[in-house]
C-alpha cells in the first residue's frame, strides 16, 4: 500500500470511492462525497492532510483532515475517512489515519476530532471528546464524538467545537 497526498486528477475517483464507502455505512448522510468537494474549496482545507491509499493499482481509501476549533483553539477535524468496500478490514483506514496523524503532529497540531464509530476509532487512540474538555455539540451522540491528543505537551481544550461552514453545523 502506498499513501500519498491527493492530486487534482484523483478527484473524480475519490468522489466515487467516498460514495461507495458510505453507501452501506451504518451512520451516513449520503452526501459525504459532496462534503469532500466542498471542503476542498473552503479555507479549512489543508492539501497536505488530504491523503489517498493506493493498493493493487487503484485508490483503496481516502482521508481528509480540515481545520476546526474548540473554544477558539485550533484543532483538526477528521471527516471523512473512506475505504472502498472491497478493501475494508485490511488495515487501509488505520494506515491512512496513522499517516494523517503523523503529518498533523509534524505540523505542530495538537488534537484531532472525529464523529464516528465508537468501536473503530478507539483502536488508534481516540477517546470521548468530553474527557478532553470538549463540549459535545447538540444532537451528536457523546460516545461517537471523540478526540485524539497528538502531542503530549498539547494544552488543554475547553469549549464547543466550530467546524468549517461546509459541514453545515
Amino acid at each position: 500500500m502506498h499513501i500519498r497526498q491527493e492530486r487534482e486528477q484523483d478527484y473524480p475517483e475519490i468522489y466515487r470511492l467516498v460514495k461507495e464507502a458510505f453507501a452501506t455505512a451504518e451512520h451516513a448522510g449520503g452526501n459525504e462525497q459532496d462534503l469532500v468537494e466542498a471542503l476542498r474549496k473552503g479555507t479549512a482545507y489543508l492539501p497536505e492532510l488530504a491523503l489517498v491509499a493506493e493498493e493493487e493499482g487503484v485508490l483503496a481509501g481516502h482521508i481528509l483532515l480540515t481545520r476546526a476549533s474548540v473554544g477558539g483553539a485550533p484543532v483538526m477535524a477528521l471527516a471523512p475517512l473512506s475505504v472502498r468496500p472491497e478493501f475494508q478490514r485490511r488495515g487501509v483506514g488505520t494506515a491512512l489515519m496513522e499517516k494523517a496523524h503523523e503529518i498533523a503532529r509534524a505540523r505542530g497540531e495538537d488534537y484531532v476530532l472525529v464523529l464516528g464509530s465508537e468501536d473503530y476509532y478507539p483502536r488508534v487512540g481516540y477517546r470521548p471528546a468530553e474527557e478532553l474538555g470538549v463540549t459535545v455539540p447538540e444532537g451528536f451522540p457523546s460516545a461517537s464524538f471523540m478526540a485524539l491528543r497528538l502531542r503530549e505537551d498539547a494544552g488543554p481544550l475547553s469549549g464547543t467545537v466550530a467546524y468549517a461552514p461546509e459541514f453545515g453545523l
Side-chain angles (χ1 to χ4, degrees):
M1 179 182 349
H2 173 66
I3 296 176
R4 62 170 173 80
Q5 186 176 328
E6 70 177 15
R7 300 180 198 129
E8 190 171 345
Q9 61 265 34
D10 296 325
Y11 292 176
E13 187 63 21
I14 291 169
Y15 187 91
R16 288 188 291 277
L17 182 162
V18 175
K19 189 170 186 169
E20 286 176 30
F22 282 93
T24 58
E26 184 178 340
H27 303 289
N31 67 341
E32 289 81 4
Q33 65 280 354
D34 298 320
L35 175 61
V36 169
E37 290 198 338
L39 285 166
R40 277 191 200 112
K41 296 173 186 168
T43 59
Y45 177 69
L46 301 165
E48 63 272 24
L49 288 166
L51 307 173
V52 294
E54 292 178 308
E55 193 170 316
E56 300 173 14
V58 299
L59 294 187
H62 177 263
I63 192 170
L64 184 60
L65 270 62
T66 54
R67 175 68 56 216
S69 65
V70 171
V75 298
M76 306 302 304
L78 188 169
L81 170 63
S82 311
V83 179
R84 282 193 199 279
E86 64 268 29
F87 291 98
Q88 291 176 2
R89 299 181 193 354
R90 291 172 48 181
V92 175
T94 299
L96 281 165
M97 281 190 288
E98 288 173 350
K99 184 64 173 177
H101 295 157
E102 175 188 317
I103 294 168
R105 195 175 292 112
R107 287 174 40 90
E109 305 294 344
D110 291 334
Y111 293 93
V112 180
L113 303 178
V114 67
L115 177 64
S117 168
E118 61 268 19
D119 296 322
Y120 182 72
Y121 290 96
R123 293 188 290 175
V124 293
Y126 284 86
R127 59 190 233 213
E130 288 177 312
E131 293 178 11
L132 295 171
V134 182
T135 303
V136 177
E138 190 173 326
F140 284 28
S142 61
S144 299
F145 186 62
M146 295 168 275
L148 173 71
R149 182 189 306 259
L150 292 171
R151 299 173 342 129
E152 289 301 318
D153 64 344
L157 288 176
S158 179
T160 57
V161 81
Y163 284 99
E166 292 80 8
F167 282 96
L169 301 172

